[in-house]
Amino acid sequence: QGFEGKVLTDVVDFLNGREELEGAASAHDDTPTAVVSVEVRPRHASGSVGVTARVFPAFDGNPGRLMLLTADTARAAAEPPQEKGS
């Protein structure tokens, strides 16, 4: 909630995987679907979230690529909250 219509980098900080994700997103249209694992920290939260990004060619005539992000909520729920300042 609160992420719709926003640029991803405006709402999260990347902890790892950003370069691989950017490379997959800028690949040529005929490049097959790429699956990239990234870890992000929402700017309004102290904990990180594992995210799987699937990047694939747009099928609507758009020359760009589409990106589907799914959060690993099971992992996030299993991690204890971090104390502030640690």
Side-chain angles (χ1 to χ4, degrees):
Q1 208 172 45
F3 296 112
E4 188 173 339
K6 295 184 180 177
V7 176
L8 186 60
T9 54
D10 287 348
V11 292
V12 301
D13 293 316
F14 279 85
L15 302 178
N16 65 46
R18 181 176 181 158
E19 294 82 16
E20 188 178 358
L21 182 60
E22 288 175 342
S26 64
H28 298 290
D29 290 342
D30 56 351
T31 304
T33 300
V35 179
V36 179
S37 293
V38 298
E39 187 171 1
V40 298
R41 180 181 303 122
R43 297 220 169 126
H44 68 279
S46 61
S48 65
V49 178
V51 175
T52 300
R54 289 176 176 78
V55 184
F56 48 95
F59 295 102
D60 62 356
N62 184 329
R65 297 185 49 87
L66 299 175
M67 188 179 308
L68 173 66
L69 303 174
T70 53
D72 183 357
T73 56
R75 189 190 96 184
E79 291 180 356
Q82 295 179 358
E83 292 183 29
K84 295 200 184 280
S86 56

